[in-house]
Amino acid sequence: SFPGIRYRDILRLTNLNNGTLSHHLSILEKRSIIKIGKTENSNITRYFPASTPSDETLILSYLKIKTTKGIILKLLNTRDEGASFNEIVNHIKKAPSTTSWNLKRLVDSKIVVRKRGKEVSLFFLLNKELVEKLVGENNKTLLDRSIDNYISIIDEL
C-alpha cells in the first residue's frame, strides 16, 4: 500500500517492537518479497514490494523528499520547454545552492536531464510519462494515509 515506506512508519503502522519488525523485514527481504532502496547521498532506507522496478523505486524515493519532489513537480508541469534554474529556484523557494545540490542529485540519478542553451540551461524530466504515473499513484497513497490517520484520531476519541 505504501511503496517507499520508511522503517519508522512501518513501526508506527504495525505497532510491532523494533526487534520484531527488523526480524520480519529481514525474512521478507531474504525471500525476495520486499526490496530495500537507498537514495544516493542519503542514509534514508525505504522498503518496496520486490516487484517494483528499479527505476520506479528511485523516482518514488525522490518523490518522498520535499525539495526534490518540488523540482520534479515543477518539471512535470512545464510542457516540453523545460525549466530554467531560476524558475526552479523560484518555484521551490529554496536557496540556489540547495536547489543546485538537489538538481545535481536528480541529474546524476538520470531522472532529470540538463540541456545547455546559448544563454541558460534548461532542465527536463527524462521519463515524463513514468513520473506522471508515479506522482498520481503517490498522491493517492498520501490521501489514503491522511484518511487512515484521520480515522485513527476519531477512533481514539
Side-chain angles (χ1 to χ4, degrees), residues 120-134:
V120 295
S121 293
L122 294 176
F123 296 90
F124 300 86
L125 290 172
L126 201 57
N127 190 342
K128 198 169 188 173
E129 295 77 24
L130 177 59
V131 171
E132 193 167 33
K133 174 189 147 217
L134 294 174

Side-chain angles (χ1 to χ4, degrees), residues 38-44 62 101 104-105 108-109:
K38 282 196 172 198
T39 312
E40 279 186 46
N41 298 326
S42 174
N43 291 328
I44 298 172
Y62 281 115
W101 185 77
K104 182 180 180 337
R105 292 171 66 195
D108 290 348
S109 298

Side-chain angles (χ1 to χ4, degrees), residues 13-56:
L13 288 171
T14 62
N15 291 322
L16 295 172
N17 67 40
N18 194 20
T20 303
L21 178 59
S22 179
H23 170 75
H24 287 293
L25 288 173
S26 176
I27 290 171
L28 290 170
E29 184 185 16
K30 286 177 186 170
R31 293 185 180 170
S32 299
I33 295 170
I34 64 168
K35 65 179 172 180
I36 297 173
K38 282 196 172 198
T39 312
E40 279 186 46
N41 298 326
S42 174
N43 291 328
I44 298 172
T45 302
R46 298 188 182 278
Y47 298 89
F48 297 89
S51 60
T52 309
S54 296
D55 57 343
E56 289 185 18

